Amino acid sequence: MDSPSFRSLFTYVKSEYTNTVCYPPRHLIFNAFKTAKFDDLKIVIVGQDPYIKENEAVGLSFSVPKTTKCPPSLRQIYNALDNDKDIDFSMPKPLHGDLTRWANQGVFLLNAILTVRKGLSNSH
């Protein structure tokens, strides 16, 4: 964390959050690391980058707040799990996209890129 490249990255992300709208909110950037307990990890799911719309990105890949419409990417995951006869899974009712419970049960929901500019995938 003392390397010049890390300091440069930190300065860049700090500037982005100061000068543009970015997601997830600052306090949720490391949410995946805060929510999942490494001693209890069972599964790692890596997403691309955070959702790019307001009230979607929460620092857990594929997860959105319960009050936000379930995104198509998460619906595909739910459908794949629901169709797998070897596991016991049923979609949440009512349908929502909050995966905090998964993270608390040992699913590490990490985005490959932790932050993004509003409306611009792969912007960081």
Side-chain angles (χ1 to χ4, degrees):
M1 291 176 32
D2 291 328
S3 71
S5 60
F6 183 84
R7 283 194 302 270
S8 175
L9 176 62
F10 179 82
T11 300
Y12 171 76
V13 172
K14 187 176 176 183
S15 173
E16 285 285 284
Y17 272 80
T18 299
N19 298 312
T20 65
V21 176
C22 296
Y23 302 122
R26 285 180 199 227
H27 71 281
L28 295 176
I29 292 173
F30 296 104
N31 197 22
F33 296 93
K34 293 175 188 173
T35 308
K37 306 298 178 247
F38 283 99
D39 291 341
D40 298 329
L41 284 187
K42 298 174 183 109
I43 298 170
V44 175
I45 297 176
V46 180
Q48 181 176 321
D49 56 0
Y51 291 121
I52 61 172
K53 295 180 183 171
E54 187 174 11
N55 298 320
E56 288 187 344
V58 293
L60 300 173
S61 63
F62 300 104
S63 185
V64 295
K66 277 191 178 179
T67 56
T68 299
K69 183 179 176 184
C70 188
S73 54
L74 181 54
R75 285 180 190 223
Q76 288 179 342
I77 293 170
Y78 281 166
N79 286 331
L81 292 170
D82 198 39
N83 291 327
D84 188 330
K85 304 303 178 211
D86 294 328
I87 60 172
D88 182 24
F89 175 82
S90 56
M91 291 199 200
K93 292 181 179 139
L95 185 64
H96 66 80
D98 183 355
L99 301 180
T100 304
R101 185 168 173 255
W102 286 15
N104 289 331
Q105 294 176 334
V107 180
F108 189 49
L109 299 162
L110 181 67
N111 281 310
I113 299 169
L114 300 181
T115 61
V116 67
R117 272 188 183 187
K118 177 182 178 179
L120 296 170
S121 294
N122 291 316
S123 53
H124 291 166

